[in-house]
Structures are given as structure tokens and as C-alpha cells.
Amino acid sequence: MRHASGRPWLIGRWDGELRVVRSGTDALAVIGLTSATDVELRAALAAWDSSGEPVRLTRQWAGDFHVIASVGHRIWSRGTAYGTRRMFHTEYAGMTVASDRAAALARLTGAPIDRVGLATRLITPTPYPLGDRPLWTGVHPVRPGHHLVSAEGNAPRTVRWHRPPRAEIPLAEGATAVRAALERAVALRTGGVDRVSADLSGGLDSTSLVFLAARELDPQHLLVCTGSDNPENCDDLRWARTAAAHLPGVEHTVFSGADRPPFYEGLLDEQVAFDGPTELSMHRKRIFSALRGMAERGSRLHLNGLGGDHLFLGQAAHYHSPLPRHPLLWLRHIRGYRALFSWRWRELLPALADRSSFGDTMRAMDLANTDPITFNTVVLAWCYPPRVPSWITGTTRELVTEAVAGAADTPPLADNRGEHIELDATELVTREIPGWRDVARRHGVTFATPYFDDQVVDAARSVRLRDRSTPFAYKPLLAAAMRGVVPEEMTRRRTKATGEGALNAGLRQEREALASLWDDSVLGELGLVDTGELRRVSLSPLSEGTAENGLGDTVAAELWARSATPTGATPTPERSVRT
């Protein structure tokens, strides 16, 4: 698409997702799924405030989309409020160039790997704001909820257009809003699609999307699928079959372990340039085997329940500080979480007494901690205690220490610890969704995550914390929102499968391939890992605590680094840290 000047403005492949309206030399483009009509697009362009404050009209549109406006001599570019669609920018030939893929900008400029950024990905979970940092030197992120504003002759800047809502709506009102937002999100996606598929894990998140889709589609146009490594003894499958029994005429496919590739299979079969390390690079064949099966049955859109846990499970850290107007409620919830997670008083009391600021927590971060996070770990601080693998080098530890210190003055995502953790966890997942979309598109299917739509997230986050975050009920907000949509018995499930058995089997089966990764490791060449230790751990992963030891995260970082390094290039530390 060309700018009014005649020069290229937008370059990409949109598969019908691009809509553009123009008024004189001004133009507004929307890329993605949006409820906006052409009339609304033109109204937004006419009302655009060229002073730099983005128009409010775009915030009223449901969906999942980028907005790019060229008004006067400025260009505004933004993704979504919570990161499902992102923006990055760099300088090239004297111009500011923006993209929804950091990898595209790195290819354009030949940017080297940022060794400091890559080092932080070996400490998991990578704490905010370090996870924001693109992994190529000279490629810069635009924070979710911000516009990138660029103009010829001026340095690019960012303008905030979205802030998470205050959590103050009671449960009943909030449930109505969540239901309306989810109904709209699902209807937007299913409208006009011949055949839709959806995950049906048996949990409340996926089940809710399936039943909302069933309201929009004739039964023969809806497919549901369940993955089960042990069909004869699988709690997930029992609940999924219970749900499917309420959907006459809807085809329900069960993929057993024998139907799917093992975890870690085909590590080096195909290198995809993702924006950062991701489990997709390790488990792409496994994760998308079911989606391939749905595509073969005619599906063109696949609904996934990602985001349900992040919106509706809640965080105990919401109750780190006593509620000034409800001290007895606060005490009851703390005692409830203690019982739920089997917390010990000697660990809980110091955590409750801690009054560290976000910056203090960052500065005091223990980068010698090798203990995994378990179900019983007390998490009331600003972030989860990071796991530090035994095979990182002293160089990596120094680089991460420097990065953490440099980030300590960054404001948290929210004033409340629980809300900060929720937002950080949300962005950790949404950061990977563009990669999921890319891989799904190769199979001819649109990968959809309605729970992460801005309007759905805002509706959920508007509800009072004590109504949506409690140890005494499982996802009470979603259960209330789906009353009358999902069969009542489905809201009573309290169990959740982990899939650890299949992951362990994959580690055993693919240990030789894992060990061979470290023979010509990019991470090793960069001086970030001890390849001998990694080879030893890879050959006997189960003795090291399987997935809890951070092996998967390091494998993902290695595979990403290989995809980010041009064939034949040597990723020297000196070149990688150049700014």
C-alpha cells in the first residue's frame, strides 16, 4: 500500500486482513480482525487528533488488530493493549521502519544478536521488563498499549493509549460484561467461516469457547478435538466427553499419544525465525499435530483457550497487603491460600511482612537460585523467583546481573503486586502468539485466542479482586459468566492435567538429539552456557528433575539463536554486544 507521497507505506502479506480508508492525503489502515465498519473507520480517521493523542474511537472496536494511521506528516502504529499484536522499530537508510515482527527488522538490517538480551532468556521466568527486550541489537520494542509515532526528520517516540481498568465492578455486573465480550469475540471469528475447529480439553476455558461457538454455528460446521496420551485413564478426556455429549451432531476427535509425534521430535528439521525463544521451536510437530488433523477435516479457523488461566485463576499476591476496609476478609483469603498450596508459616510470614518496592525486589534478585518453582512455592513478591540453571556460565550471570540492575528503576506494570504479576504473565504468553499464528497459517488455519482480545481482558480485569481471585472457588468469574451457556456440571471440575508424563517420554526418546545440539552450540560460541554440562544433562534429563531444571528453556534459546544467525556466520561475543 502506498503513502500519499507515492512511496511505499505498508508492505506485507495480509490474507484479506487489511482494510484501508483515505481522506485526501490522510489514511487509516486496520490489519486483523475488527468489528469496525467502513463508516466507523472513516469516522476514526476524521476524528484523529494530530497532536499525538490517539483517537478514542478505535478503543471501542472489538477484535484483535493493528491500527496504522498516516495523518499530516506523522504516522501512528500500534498493536493491541495486551500484546497479541506487537510492534517493533529500527532505523534503516535514515528512516524509521516499523514491523509486527522483530525478526523481519533484523533480517532487513542484518542486526547482530544482542547477547545480553539472550542471556536473560536463560533465567526463567525472565522478569519484567527484561522479557520486553528484543534479541537483536538496534531493534526496539513498542510496549503493549502504546503507539509508535514517527515523522520524517524526528526521532520516533511512543504515546500510551491504553491503561488497564480499575478493578471495582462487583461479580454479577462483571460476569455480564465478560460474557458479552466473549460472545462478541467468538462471533466475530466464526462469522462467514465454513468450518471451525476448537480445542476441548475438558477444562472450563476451552469448554466455554466451544459452547459459545456452538451457538453461532450449525453442528456440522463445528469440530472439536481432545489430546490424550492415555485414553484409558485420562481425567481430561472424561470431562471432554461429558461436554461433547451436550453437543449433538458436533464431531469430536480424540488424538491419542500414538497419533502425535513425541515432544522434542525433529528439533532441527526446520528453522523458523521467531521473535524469541519459544516452545514452538522444540515441540512444533507435537503442538500442531492436532491442528493439522483439523485442517484435513476442513477447518479454516481454530479456537484455543489460551488466556483463561491468566484472566480467571487470580493471584494470591493480591492479598499481600491487608485490605484496609476488610481485614477479616484479607485474613480469611490468606489462610485459604495457605491451605490450598500447603504453605508453611515460616515461609508465609516473612513474605507477608516484606514491603520491598519493585525496584528493591529487582536489585535483591537471587541469581544463584537453582530451586524450581513448585505448587507449594510462596509467591507474594513482585515476581516469581527466577530459576537459574546449573549450566550457565559466569559471563551469563554477570550479563544478567547488569541487566537486572539497569531495569530496577523501571515502574511496575501495576501498583498492586498481584496485578503486576498477572499482567507480566499475560504478556509472557501473548509474546508467543504471533509465532503460533505463523505456524498455523502454514497449515491453512487461522489460530484464534479470544480470551486475549483487549475488550475481553478489560472486562475481566474490571471485576473486584476479591470476586475473581479467591482460594474458595475455581474461576468464579468465568463460571458466573458462562451460567446458562455451559452445562452446570462442567463448572464443577477442580482437577487439571499437566502432561508431564508425555514430556518425560519425549526427553527419554530424543535424548541423543538433544545432546547433539551442544556439539556446535551457538550459545556455547557466545560463552553463555557450559556445553559439556548441557550434554551430560541432556543424556540423563530425568535424573535432573525433567522440565523443572530449565532444560527446555535453554533448548528453545539455542534453537532461536540458530535461526537468528545467518548460515555460515559466526556469532562472536564482540559483535553481539556492539551497540
Side-chain angles (χ1 to χ4, degrees):
M1 300 296 297
R2 293 193 174 273
H3 188 264
S5 65
R7 292 179 294 182
W9 178 37
L10 306 175
I11 302 172
R13 183 179 299 169
W14 297 289
D15 298 335
E17 288 187 319
L18 173 67
R19 296 166 64 196
V20 178
V21 295
R22 298 181 183 271
S23 176
T25 59
D26 296 339
L28 176 70
V30 174
I31 304 173
L33 177 76
T34 175
S35 64
T37 64
D38 288 345
V39 171
E40 289 172 319
L41 292 178
R42 294 190 183 94
L45 177 59
W48 202 271
D49 185 347
S50 61
S51 68
E53 189 64 32
V55 66
R56 294 183 178 181
L57 291 176
T58 63
R59 306 180 199 181
Q60 301 170 11
W61 302 340
D64 181 73
F65 51 88
H66 284 91
V67 177
I68 305 170
S70 176
V71 179
H73 299 289
R74 293 185 178 89
I75 294 178
W76 284 263
S77 311
R78 76 158 171 89
T80 53
Y82 297 100
T84 55
R85 291 179 181 263
R86 292 177 178 259
M87 295 296 298
F88 306 90
H89 65 97
T90 192
E91 293 300 309
Y92 180 71
M95 299 179 293
T96 297
V97 182
S99 176
D100 64 334
R101 298 291 191 277
L105 297 179
R107 287 195 300 272
L108 175 70
T109 61
I113 290 175
D114 178 350
R115 190 168 66 143
V116 178
L118 185 53
T120 65
R121 300 308 201 275
L122 300 176
I123 310 299
T124 55
T126 303
Y128 169 84
L130 302 183
D132 269 352
R133 182 173 181 158
L135 299 177
W136 291 275
T137 299
V139 177
H140 310 288
V142 178
R143 282 282 307 143
H146 288 69
H147 266 91
L148 174 69
V149 185
S150 56
E152 190 170 1
N154 295 308
R157 60 190 177 90
T158 57
V159 177
R160 187 161 192 164
W161 64 270
H162 178 275
R163 293 183 184 276
R166 295 178 62 85
E168 52 191 13
I169 296 176
L171 180 62
E173 182 181 347
T176 300
V178 167
R179 177 166 170 169
L182 274 175
E183 287 176 336
R184 198 176 189 191
V186 171
L188 265 177
R189 288 168 167 84
T190 57
V193 181
D194 290 338
R195 214 157 196 213
V196 174
S197 58
D199 292 319
L200 183 60
S201 70
L204 186 56
D205 304 332
S206 65
T207 302
S208 297
L209 295 184
V210 165
F211 277 83
L212 288 172
R215 290 184 159 203
E216 302 292 329
L217 300 165
D218 291 334
Q220 66 269 24
H221 293 161
L222 179 61
L223 309 168
V224 296
C225 63
T226 306
S228 174
D229 291 298
N230 183 10
E232 302 306 317
N233 184 26
C234 178
D235 196 42
D236 279 354
L237 183 54
R238 284 194 294 271
W239 283 96
R241 283 174 168 158
T242 298
H246 292 271
L247 298 167
V250 172
E251 181 181 335
H252 180 206
T253 301
V254 178
F255 294 99
S256 68
D259 299 325
R260 297 185 289 174
F263 285 103
Y264 295 101
E265 181 177 279
L267 287 174
L268 298 178
D269 285 358
E270 179 185 18
Q271 293 298 310
V272 179
F274 295 111
D275 285 342
T278 169
E279 67 172 343
L280 282 177
S281 59
M282 299 181 290
H283 310 315
R284 188 167 59 252
K285 288 188 175 182
R286 168 82 177 197
I287 290 172
F288 281 95
S289 59
L291 189 142
R292 285 194 297 271
M294 293 293 95
E296 291 168 358
R297 289 163 173 80
S299 173
R300 291 296 170 262
L301 180 136
H302 189 79
L303 297 172
N304 182 276
L306 275 173
D309 286 348
H310 300 78
L311 297 186
F312 303 113
L313 268 182
Q315 287 284 338
H318 288 310
Y319 299 97
H320 165 261
S321 300
L323 303 175
R325 288 184 293 182
H326 304 280
L328 294 179
L329 177 67
W330 168 82
L331 179 61
R332 180 170 177 264
H333 277 70
I334 285 295
R335 296 178 71 170
Y337 278 116
R338 176 179 176 268
L340 178 65
F341 297 123
S342 300
W343 288 342
R344 291 174 290 192
W345 282 114
R346 67 173 180 269
E347 296 169 350
L348 175 59
L349 292 177
L352 289 171
D354 173 46
R355 289 294 174 264
S356 301
S357 66
F358 175 71
D360 291 339
T361 299
M362 291 291 286
R363 281 182 280 268
M365 189 169 290
D366 180 9
L367 295 179
N369 172 39
T370 59
D371 295 332
I373 299 171
T374 68
F375 185 77
N376 309 112
T377 302
V378 177
V379 182
L380 295 178
W382 286 98
C383 58
Y384 288 91
R387 177 179 54 234
V388 182
S390 62
W391 48 80
I392 68 167
T393 63
T395 297
T396 298
R397 207 177 298 274
E398 290 174 5
L399 293 174
V400 175
T401 299
E402 179 183 348
V404 169
D409 293 329
T410 304
L413 295 169
D415 295 333
N416 175 288
R417 294 184 179 198
E419 291 181 272
H420 171 84
I421 291 177
E422 284 182 342
L423 287 169
D424 189 19
T426 293
E427 292 184 12
L428 183 69
V429 177
T430 59
R431 193 175 291 122
E432 297 202 9
I433 286 179
W436 286 69
R437 286 201 191 102
D438 289 348
V439 177
R441 191 177 292 116
R442 294 181 179 210
H443 299 292
V445 179
T446 298
F447 184 79
T449 54
Y451 283 116
F452 280 134
D453 281 9
D454 289 349
Q455 290 196 348
V456 176
V457 179
D458 278 350
R461 293 188 59 82
S462 297
V463 177
R464 293 182 307 198
L465 297 176
R466 65 178 183 268
D467 286 336
R468 67 178 173 89
S469 185
T470 171
F472 306 111
Y474 184 72
K475 299 184 179 179
L477 175 57
L478 182 59
M482 291 296 103
R483 191 164 292 125
V485 176
V486 172
E488 188 66 27
E489 61 187 307
M490 297 303 301
T491 67
R492 294 195 290 267
R493 185 183 180 187
R494 297 293 182 268
T495 57
K496 188 176 182 69
T498 65
E500 186 172 327
L503 185 62
N504 290 346
L507 284 167
R508 285 191 298 269
Q509 183 170 329
E510 302 297 324
R511 64 177 63 187
E512 294 290 342
L514 283 170
S516 69
L517 277 178
W518 315 116
D519 293 338
D520 55 349
S521 165
V522 176
L523 296 181
E525 290 184 44
L526 290 170
L528 299 179
V529 299
D530 179 341
T531 56
E533 172 71 2
L534 272 166
R535 192 176 296 109
R536 183 189 67 80
V537 171
S538 297
L539 288 171
S540 55
L542 298 185
S543 65
E544 301 292 329
T546 62
E548 291 183 352
N549 66 2
L551 178 60
D553 299 308
T554 301
V555 172
E558 172 66 29
L559 294 174
W560 175 85
R562 290 175 181 234
S563 73
T565 304
T567 302
T570 301
T572 63
E574 291 75 20
R575 182 169 184 259
S576 298
V577 298
R578 186 179 64 192
T579 58

